[in-house]
Amino acid sequence: MPFTYDDVLKLKKYMDEKLSVYVHFHDSCGGQYFNLDEPNEEAKQALKDYFAKDDMKVIFSDDNMTFKVVER
């Protein structure tokens, strides 16, 4: 599912208000993905909870900062 910029702005606002965490969004030929400035377990859980309500799953890379979101 491609994210619109409106979707991304809502996510950014949610994470900023909840944890003061900035989420970067990347939209390129290879697809869409996100990343955090640093590993943050609380942010990882908040992201999982945020997307779970829409039956989506967050998959983090080994660095625990870069992630993509997929449908379950």
Side-chain angles (χ1 to χ4, degrees):
M1 173 195 132
F3 290 97
T4 65
Y5 285 107
D6 192 45
D7 296 333
V8 173
L9 291 175
K10 287 177 187 175
L11 171 63
K12 287 174 171 270
K13 182 178 179 183
Y14 170 81
M15 292 300 290
D16 183 47
E17 289 176 353
K18 183 169 182 69
L19 298 171
S20 297
V21 169
Y22 188 80
V23 176
H24 300 272
F25 175 64
H26 307 275
D27 189 8
S28 64
C29 301
Q32 296 177 326
Y33 66 96
F34 302 86
N35 73 292
L36 306 174
D37 288 329
E38 59 188 43
N40 182 323
E41 288 300 316
E42 192 175 7
K44 279 179 67 173
Q45 189 58 54
L47 288 162
K48 289 177 183 179
D49 295 343
Y50 180 86
F51 286 108
K53 68 180 174 27
D54 292 324
D55 203 26
M56 301 184 83
K57 181 178 176 180
V58 178
I59 301 171
F60 276 87
S61 64
D62 291 339
D63 68 5
N64 283 316
M65 294 185 297
T66 305
F67 64 95
K68 64 181 180 177
V69 181
V70 297
E71 295 182 63
R72 290 189 190 253

